[in-house]
Amino acid sequence: MAAADRLIIDDLDPDRPDRSLPRNGETMQQVEARFGAPKNRIPAVGDPPISRWDYSEYMVYFEHERVLHSVRKR
């Protein structure tokens, strides 16, 4: 009989969305209105263009003008 452990990382668990981070699909304008200006804006690279905004506790990745993913810093 095999046994396995289940690892749940809070930031990645789809059953526990973090409402304190920008949500996927939000626009840059919506993110800035809710969370303020980022400390740093990394310009878009690649195709599709991916850019990043850095805040003190998390980073927000955008594809074009929409949130692709928000990641809490450790």
Coordinates of all heavy atoms in Angstrom, one line a residue:
M1 N 0.8 -1.2 0.0 CA 0.0 0.0 0.0 C 0.9 1.2 0.0 O 1.8 1.4 0.8 CB -0.9 0.0 1.2 CG -1.8 1.2 1.3 SD -3.0 0.9 2.6 CE -3.6 2.5 2.8
A2 N 0.6 2.2 -0.9 CA 1.4 3.4 -1.0 C 0.7 4.5 -0.2 O -0.5 4.6 -0.1 CB 1.5 3.8 -2.5
A3 N 1.5 5.4 0.3 CA 1.0 6.6 1.0 C 1.7 7.8 0.5 O 2.8 7.7 0.0 CB 1.3 6.4 2.5
A4 N 1.0 8.9 0.5 CA 1.5 10.1 0.0 C 1.1 11.3 0.9 O 0.0 11.3 1.5 CB 1.0 10.4 -1.4
D5 N 2.0 12.3 1.0 CA 1.7 13.5 1.7 C 1.1 14.5 0.7 O 1.5 14.5 -0.5 CB 2.9 14.1 2.3 CG 3.4 13.2 3.5 OD1 2.5 12.6 4.1 OD2 4.6 13.2 3.7
R6 N 0.3 15.4 1.2 CA -0.3 16.4 0.3 C 0.3 17.7 0.8 O 0.2 18.1 1.9 CB -1.8 16.5 0.4 CG -2.4 17.5 -0.5 CD -3.9 17.5 -0.5 NE -4.4 18.5 -1.3 CZ -5.6 19.1 -1.1 NH1 -6.4 18.7 -0.1 NH2 -6.0 20.1 -1.8
L7 N 1.0 18.4 -0.2 CA 1.6 19.7 0.1 C 0.7 20.8 -0.4 O 0.4 20.8 -1.6 CB 3.0 19.8 -0.5 CG 3.7 21.1 -0.4 CD1 4.0 21.5 1.0 CD2 5.0 21.1 -1.2
I8 N 0.3 21.7 0.5 CA -0.5 22.9 0.1 C 0.3 24.1 0.3 O 0.7 24.4 1.5 CB -1.8 22.9 0.8 CG1 -2.6 21.7 0.5 CG2 -2.6 24.2 0.5 CD1 -3.9 21.6 1.3
I9 N 0.5 24.9 -0.7 CA 1.2 26.2 -0.6 C 0.1 27.2 -0.6 O -0.6 27.3 -1.6 CB 2.2 26.4 -1.6 CG1 3.3 25.3 -1.5 CG2 2.9 27.8 -1.5 CD1 4.3 25.3 -2.7
D10 N -0.1 28.0 0.4 CA -1.2 28.9 0.5 C -1.4 29.8 -0.7 O -2.5 30.0 -1.2 CB -1.1 29.8 1.7 CG -1.4 29.1 3.0 OD1 -2.0 28.0 2.9 OD2 -1.0 29.5 4.1
D11 N -0.3 30.3 -1.3 CA -0.4 31.2 -2.4 C -0.8 30.5 -3.7 O -1.2 31.1 -4.6 CB 1.0 31.9 -2.7 CG 1.4 32.9 -1.6 OD1 0.4 33.3 -0.9 OD2 2.5 33.2 -1.5
L12 N -0.7 29.2 -3.7 CA -1.1 28.4 -4.9 C -2.3 27.6 -4.8 O -2.7 26.9 -5.7 CB 0.1 27.5 -5.3 CG 1.4 28.3 -5.6 CD1 2.5 27.2 -6.0 CD2 1.3 29.2 -6.8
D13 N -2.9 27.5 -3.6 CA -4.1 26.7 -3.4 C -5.3 27.3 -3.9 O -5.7 28.4 -3.4 CB -4.2 26.4 -1.9 CG -5.3 25.4 -1.6 OD1 -6.1 25.0 -2.5 OD2 -5.5 25.1 -0.4
P14 N -5.9 26.8 -5.0 CA -7.1 27.4 -5.6 C -8.3 27.5 -4.7 O -9.2 28.2 -5.0 CB -7.3 26.5 -6.9 CG -6.7 25.2 -6.5 CD -5.5 25.5 -5.6
D15 N -8.3 26.7 -3.7 CA -9.4 26.7 -2.7 C -9.3 27.8 -1.7 O -10.3 28.0 -1.0 CB -9.5 25.3 -2.0 CG -9.8 24.2 -2.9 OD1 -10.5 24.4 -4.0 OD2 -9.3 23.1 -2.7
R16 N -8.2 28.5 -1.7 CA -8.0 29.5 -0.7 C -7.5 30.8 -1.4 O -6.3 31.2 -1.2 CB -7.0 29.1 0.4 CG -7.5 27.9 1.2 CD -6.5 27.6 2.3 NE -6.4 28.7 3.2 CZ -5.5 28.9 4.1 NH1 -4.5 28.0 4.2 NH2 -5.5 29.9 4.9
P17 N -8.3 31.5 -2.2 CA -7.8 32.7 -2.9 C -7.4 33.8 -1.9 O -8.1 33.9 -0.9 CB -9.0 33.1 -3.8 CG -10.2 32.4 -3.1 CD -9.7 31.2 -2.4
D18 N -6.3 34.4 -2.2 CA -5.9 35.5 -1.3 C -6.4 36.8 -1.8 O -6.0 37.3 -2.8 CB -4.3 35.5 -1.3 CG -3.8 36.5 -0.2 OD1 -4.6 37.4 0.2 OD2 -2.6 36.4 0.1
R19 N -7.4 37.4 -1.1 CA -8.1 38.6 -1.5 C -7.2 39.8 -1.3 O -7.5 40.9 -1.8 CB -9.4 38.8 -0.7 CG -10.3 37.6 -0.8 CD -11.0 37.6 -2.2 NE -11.9 36.5 -2.2 CZ -12.1 35.8 -3.3 NH1 -11.4 36.0 -4.3 NH2 -13.0 34.8 -3.3
S20 N -6.0 39.7 -0.6 CA -5.2 40.8 -0.4 C -4.2 41.0 -1.5 O -3.3 41.9 -1.4 CB -4.4 40.7 1.0 OG -3.6 39.6 0.9
L21 N -4.2 40.2 -2.5 CA -3.4 40.4 -3.7 C -4.2 40.7 -4.9 O -5.4 40.4 -5.0 CB -2.6 39.0 -4.0 CG -1.6 38.6 -2.9 CD1 -1.1 37.2 -3.3 CD2 -0.5 39.6 -2.8
P22 N -3.6 41.4 -5.9 CA -4.3 41.6 -7.2 C -4.8 40.3 -7.8 O -4.0 39.3 -7.7 CB -3.3 42.3 -8.0 CG -2.3 43.0 -7.1 CD -2.3 42.0 -5.9
R23 N -6.0 40.3 -8.3 CA -6.5 39.1 -8.9 C -6.3 38.9 -10.4 O -6.2 40.0 -11.1 CB -8.0 39.0 -8.6 CG -8.4 38.9 -7.1 CD -9.9 38.8 -6.9 NE -10.6 40.0 -7.3 CZ -10.9 41.0 -6.4 NH1 -10.6 40.9 -5.2 NH2 -11.6 42.0 -6.9
N24 N -6.2 37.7 -10.8 CA -6.0 37.5 -12.3 C -7.1 38.1 -13.1 O -8.2 38.1 -12.7 CB -6.0 36.0 -12.6 CG -4.8 35.2 -11.9 OD1 -4.0 35.8 -11.3 ND2 -4.8 33.9 -12.2
G25 N -6.6 38.8 -14.2 CA -7.6 39.4 -15.1 C -7.8 40.9 -14.8 O -8.3 41.6 -15.6
E26 N -7.4 41.4 -13.6 CA -7.5 42.8 -13.3 C -6.6 43.6 -14.2 O -5.6 43.1 -14.6 CB -7.2 43.1 -11.8 CG -8.2 42.7 -10.8 CD -7.9 43.1 -9.4 OE1 -6.8 42.9 -8.9 OE2 -8.8 43.8 -8.8
T27 N -7.0 44.8 -14.5 CA -6.2 45.7 -15.4 C -5.1 46.4 -14.5 O -5.3 46.5 -13.3 CB -7.0 46.8 -16.1 OG1 -7.6 47.7 -15.1 CG2 -8.2 46.2 -16.9
M28 N -4.1 46.9 -15.2 CA -3.1 47.7 -14.5 C -3.7 48.9 -13.7 O -3.4 49.2 -12.6 CB -2.0 48.2 -15.5 CG -1.1 47.1 -16.0 SD 0.0 47.8 -17.2 CE 1.2 46.5 -17.3
Q29 N -4.7 49.5 -14.4 CA -5.4 50.7 -13.8 C -6.1 50.2 -12.5 O -6.1 50.9 -11.5 CB -6.4 51.3 -14.8 CG -7.1 52.5 -14.3 CD -8.0 53.1 -15.4 OE1 -8.3 52.5 -16.4 NE2 -8.4 54.3 -15.1
Q30 N -6.8 49.1 -12.5 CA -7.5 48.6 -11.3 C -6.5 48.3 -10.2 O -6.8 48.6 -9.1 CB -8.3 47.4 -11.7 CG -9.5 47.6 -12.6 CD -10.2 46.4 -13.1 OE1 -9.5 45.4 -13.4 NE2 -11.5 46.4 -13.1
V31 N -5.4 47.6 -10.6 CA -4.4 47.3 -9.5 C -3.9 48.6 -8.9 O -3.8 48.7 -7.7 CB -3.3 46.4 -10.2 CG1 -2.1 46.3 -9.2 CG2 -3.8 45.1 -10.6
E32 N -3.5 49.5 -9.7 CA -3.0 50.8 -9.1 C -4.0 51.5 -8.3 O -3.7 52.1 -7.3 CB -2.4 51.7 -10.3 CG -1.5 52.8 -9.7 CD -0.6 53.4 -10.7 OE1 -0.7 53.0 -11.9 OE2 0.2 54.2 -10.3
A33 N -5.2 51.5 -8.7 CA -6.3 52.2 -7.9 C -6.5 51.5 -6.6 O -6.7 52.1 -5.6 CB -7.6 52.1 -8.7
R34 N -6.4 50.2 -6.5 CA -6.6 49.4 -5.3 C -5.4 49.3 -4.4 O -5.5 49.4 -3.1 CB -7.1 48.0 -5.6 CG -8.5 47.9 -6.0 CD -8.9 46.4 -6.3 NE -8.7 45.6 -5.1 CZ -8.3 44.3 -5.2 NH1 -8.1 43.7 -6.4 NH2 -8.1 43.6 -4.1
F35 N -4.2 49.2 -5.0 CA -3.0 49.0 -4.2 C -2.0 50.1 -4.2 O -0.9 50.0 -3.6 CB -2.3 47.7 -4.7 CG -3.2 46.5 -4.5 CD1 -4.0 46.0 -5.5 CD2 -3.3 45.8 -3.3 CE1 -4.9 44.9 -5.4 CE2 -4.1 44.7 -3.1 CZ -4.9 44.2 -4.2
G36 N -2.2 51.1 -5.0 CA -1.3 52.2 -5.1 C -0.2 51.9 -6.1 O -0.2 50.9 -6.8
A37 N 0.7 52.9 -6.3 CA 1.8 52.8 -7.3 C 2.8 51.8 -6.8 O 3.1 51.7 -5.6 CB 2.4 54.1 -7.5
P38 N 3.3 50.9 -7.7 CA 4.3 50.0 -7.3 C 5.7 50.7 -7.0 O 5.9 51.8 -7.4 CB 4.5 49.1 -8.5 CG 4.1 49.9 -9.7 CD 3.0 50.9 -9.1
K39 N 6.5 50.0 -6.2 CA 7.9 50.5 -6.0 C 8.7 50.5 -7.2 O 9.6 51.4 -7.4 CB 8.5 49.7 -4.9 CG 8.0 49.9 -3.5 CD 8.8 49.1 -2.5 CE 8.3 49.5 -1.1 NZ 9.2 49.1 -0.1
N40 N 8.5 49.5 -8.1 CA 9.3 49.4 -9.3 C 8.4 48.8 -10.4 O 7.6 47.9 -10.1 CB 10.5 48.5 -9.0 CG 11.5 48.5 -10.0 OD1 11.6 49.4 -10.8 ND2 12.3 47.4 -10.1
R41 N 8.6 49.2 -11.6 CA 7.9 48.7 -12.8 C 9.0 48.1 -13.7 O 9.8 48.9 -14.2 CB 7.1 49.8 -13.5 CG 6.0 50.3 -12.7 CD 5.3 51.5 -13.4 NE 4.6 52.3 -12.5 CZ 3.3 52.4 -12.6 NH1 2.6 51.9 -13.5 NH2 2.6 53.2 -11.7
I42 N 8.9 46.8 -14.0 CA 9.8 46.2 -14.9 C 9.2 46.1 -16.3 O 8.1 45.6 -16.4 CB 10.2 44.7 -14.5 CG1 10.6 44.7 -13.0 CG2 11.2 44.1 -15.4 CD1 11.9 45.5 -12.7
P43 N 9.8 46.7 -17.3 CA 9.2 46.8 -18.6 C 8.9 45.4 -19.2 O 9.5 44.4 -18.9 CB 10.2 47.5 -19.5 CG 11.1 48.2 -18.5 CD 11.1 47.4 -17.3
A44 N 7.9 45.4 -20.1 CA 7.5 44.2 -20.8 C 8.6 43.6 -21.7 O 9.3 44.4 -22.3 CB 6.2 44.4 -21.6
V45 N 8.7 42.3 -21.7 CA 9.6 41.6 -22.6 C 8.8 40.4 -23.2 O 7.9 39.9 -22.6 CB 10.9 41.1 -21.9 CG1 11.7 42.2 -21.4 CG2 10.5 40.2 -20.7
G46 N 9.3 39.9 -24.3 CA 8.8 38.7 -24.9 C 7.5 38.9 -25.7 O 7.0 40.0 -25.9
D47 N 7.0 37.8 -26.2 CA 5.8 37.7 -27.0 C 4.9 36.5 -26.5 O 5.3 35.4 -26.8 CB 6.1 37.6 -28.5 CG 4.8 37.7 -29.3 OD1 3.8 38.3 -28.9 OD2 4.9 37.2 -30.5
P48 N 3.9 36.7 -25.8 CA 3.2 38.0 -25.5 C 4.1 38.8 -24.4 O 4.9 38.2 -23.7 CB 1.9 37.5 -24.8 CG 2.2 36.2 -24.2 CD 3.2 35.6 -25.2
P49 N 3.9 40.1 -24.4 CA 4.7 40.9 -23.5 C 4.3 40.7 -22.1 O 3.1 40.8 -21.7 CB 4.3 42.3 -24.0 CG 3.0 42.2 -24.7 CD 2.9 40.9 -25.3
I50 N 5.3 40.3 -21.3 CA 5.1 40.1 -19.8 C 5.9 41.2 -19.1 O 7.1 41.4 -19.3 CB 5.6 38.7 -19.4 CG1 4.9 37.6 -20.2 CG2 5.4 38.5 -17.9 CD1 3.4 37.5 -20.0
S51 N 5.2 41.9 -18.2 CA 5.8 42.9 -17.4 C 5.6 42.6 -15.9 O 4.8 41.7 -15.6 CB 5.3 44.3 -17.7 OG 3.9 44.4 -17.5
R52 N 6.3 43.3 -15.0 CA 6.2 43.0 -13.6 C 6.2 44.3 -12.8 O 6.9 45.2 -13.1 CB 7.4 42.2 -13.1 CG 7.2 41.7 -11.7 CD 8.4 40.9 -11.3 NE 9.5 41.8 -10.8 CZ 10.8 41.5 -11.0 NH1 11.2 40.5 -11.5 NH2 11.7 42.4 -10.5
W53 N 5.3 44.3 -11.8 CA 5.3 45.4 -10.8 C 5.7 44.9 -9.5 O 5.2 43.8 -9.1 CB 3.9 46.0 -10.7 CG 3.5 46.9 -11.9 CD1 4.1 47.1 -13.0 CD2 2.3 47.6 -11.9 NE1 3.4 47.9 -13.8 CE2 2.3 48.3 -13.2 CE3 1.2 47.8 -11.1 CZ2 1.2 49.1 -13.6 CZ3 0.2 48.6 -11.5 CH2 0.2 49.3 -12.7
D54 N 6.6 45.6 -8.8 CA 7.1 45.1 -7.5 C 6.5 46.0 -6.4 O 6.6 47.2 -6.5 CB 8.6 45.3 -7.4 CG 9.4 44.3 -8.4 OD1 8.8 43.2 -8.7 OD2 10.5 44.6 -8.8
Y55 N 5.9 45.3 -5.5 CA 5.4 46.0 -4.3 C 6.3 45.5 -3.1 O 7.0 44.5 -3.3 CB 3.9 45.7 -4.0 CG 3.0 46.4 -5.0 CD1 2.7 45.8 -6.2 CD2 2.4 47.6 -4.7 CE1 1.9 46.5 -7.1 CE2 1.6 48.3 -5.6 CZ 1.3 47.7 -6.8 OH 0.5 48.3 -7.7
S56 N 6.1 46.0 -1.9 CA 7.0 45.6 -0.8 C 6.8 44.1 -0.4 O 7.7 43.5 0.0 CB 6.8 46.5 0.4 OG 5.5 46.5 0.8
E57 N 5.6 43.6 -0.5 CA 5.3 42.3 0.0 C 5.0 41.3 -1.1 O 4.8 40.1 -0.9 CB 4.1 42.3 1.0 CG 4.5 43.1 2.2 CD 3.4 43.1 3.2 OE1 2.4 42.3 3.1 OE2 3.4 43.8 4.2
Y58 N 4.8 41.7 -2.4 CA 4.4 40.8 -3.5 C 4.8 41.4 -4.8 O 5.2 42.6 -4.9 CB 2.9 40.5 -3.5 CG 2.1 41.8 -3.4 CD1 1.7 42.4 -4.6 CD2 1.7 42.4 -2.2 CE1 0.9 43.5 -4.6 CE2 0.9 43.5 -2.2 CZ 0.5 44.1 -3.4 OH -0.2 45.2 -3.4
M59 N 4.8 40.6 -5.8 CA 5.1 41.0 -7.2 C 3.8 40.7 -8.1 O 3.1 39.7 -7.8 CB 6.3 40.3 -7.8 CG 7.6 40.6 -7.0 SD 8.9 39.5 -7.6 CE 8.4 38.0 -6.9
V60 N 3.6 41.5 -9.0 CA 2.4 41.3 -9.9 C 2.9 41.2 -11.4 O 3.6 42.1 -11.8 CB 1.4 42.4 -9.8 CG1 0.2 42.1 -10.7 CG2 1.0 42.6 -8.4
Y61 N 2.6 40.1 -12.0 CA 3.0 39.9 -13.4 C 1.8 40.2 -14.3 O 0.7 39.7 -14.0 CB 3.4 38.4 -13.6 CG 4.7 38.1 -12.9 CD1 4.7 37.7 -11.6 CD2 6.0 38.3 -13.5 CE1 5.9 37.4 -10.9 CE2 7.2 38.0 -12.9 CZ 7.1 37.6 -11.6 OH 8.3 37.3 -10.9
F62 N 2.1 40.9 -15.4 CA 1.0 41.3 -16.3 C 1.3 40.7 -17.7 O 2.5 40.7 -18.1 CB 0.9 42.8 -16.5 CG 0.5 43.5 -15.2 CD1 1.4 44.0 -14.3 CD2 -0.8 43.8 -15.0 CE1 1.1 44.6 -13.1 CE2 -1.2 44.5 -13.8 CZ -0.3 44.9 -12.9
E63 N 0.3 40.3 -18.4 CA 0.4 40.0 -19.8 C -0.5 41.1 -20.5 O -1.6 41.2 -20.2 CB -0.2 38.6 -20.1 CG -0.1 38.3 -21.6 CD -0.6 36.9 -21.9 OE1 -0.5 36.0 -21.1 OE2 -1.2 36.7 -23.0
H64 N 0.2 41.9 -21.3 CA -0.4 43.1 -21.9 C -0.8 44.0 -20.7 O 0.1 44.3 -19.9 CB -1.5 42.8 -22.8 CG -1.2 42.0 -24.0 ND1 -0.5 42.6 -25.1 CD2 -1.3 40.7 -24.3 CE1 -0.3 41.7 -26.0 NE2 -0.8 40.5 -25.6
E65 N -2.0 44.3 -20.5 CA -2.5 45.2 -19.4 C -3.2 44.4 -18.3 O -3.8 45.1 -17.4 CB -3.4 46.2 -20.0 CG -2.7 47.1 -21.0 CD -1.8 48.1 -20.4 OE1 -2.1 48.7 -19.4 OE2 -0.7 48.3 -21.0
R66 N -3.2 43.1 -18.4 CA -4.0 42.3 -17.4 C -3.1 41.5 -16.5 O -2.1 40.9 -16.9 CB -4.9 41.4 -18.1 CG -5.9 42.0 -19.0 CD -7.2 42.4 -18.3 NE -8.1 43.1 -19.1 CZ -9.3 43.5 -18.7 NH1 -9.7 43.2 -17.4 NH2 -10.1 44.1 -19.4
V67 N -3.6 41.3 -15.2 CA -2.8 40.5 -14.2 C -2.8 39.1 -14.7 O -3.8 38.5 -15.0 CB -3.5 40.6 -12.8 CG1 -2.8 39.6 -11.9 CG2 -3.4 42.0 -12.3
L68 N -1.6 38.5 -14.8 CA -1.4 37.1 -15.1 C -1.3 36.3 -13.8 O -1.9 35.2 -13.7 CB -0.2 37.0 -16.0 CG 0.2 35.6 -16.5 CD1 -0.9 35.1 -17.4 CD2 1.5 35.7 -17.2
H69 N -0.5 36.9 -12.9 CA -0.3 36.2 -11.6 C 0.3 37.1 -10.6 O 1.0 38.0 -10.9 CB 0.7 35.0 -11.8 CG 0.7 34.0 -10.7 ND1 -0.3 33.2 -10.4 CD2 1.7 33.7 -9.8 CE1 0.0 32.4 -9.4 NE2 1.2 32.7 -9.0
S70 N -0.1 37.0 -9.3 CA 0.4 37.7 -8.2 C 1.2 36.7 -7.3 O 0.6 35.7 -7.0 CB -0.7 38.4 -7.4 OG -1.3 39.4 -8.2
V71 N 2.4 37.1 -6.8 CA 3.2 36.2 -6.0 C 3.6 36.9 -4.8 O 4.2 38.0 -4.9 CB 4.4 35.7 -6.8 CG1 5.3 34.8 -6.0 CG2 4.0 35.1 -8.1
R72 N 3.3 36.4 -3.6 CA 3.8 36.9 -2.3 C 5.3 36.6 -2.2 O 5.7 35.5 -2.4 CB 3.0 36.4 -1.2 CG 3.3 37.0 0.1 CD 2.3 36.6 1.2 NE 0.9 36.8 0.9 CZ 0.3 38.0 1.0 NH1 1.0 39.1 1.2 NH2 -1.0 38.1 0.7
K73 N 6.0 37.6 -1.7 CA 7.5 37.4 -1.4 C 7.6 36.7 -0.1 O 6.8 36.8 0.8 CB 8.2 38.8 -1.3 CG 8.2 39.5 -2.6 CD 8.9 40.9 -2.5 CE 8.9 41.7 -3.8 NZ 9.5 43.0 -3.6
R74 N 8.6 35.9 0.0 CA 8.9 35.1 1.2 C 9.8 35.9 2.1 O 10.6 36.6 1.8 CB 9.6 33.8 0.8 CG 8.7 32.9 -0.1 CD 7.8 32.1 0.8 NE 7.0 31.3 -0.1 CZ 5.8 30.9 0.2 NH1 5.3 31.2 1.4 NH2 5.0 30.2 -0.6

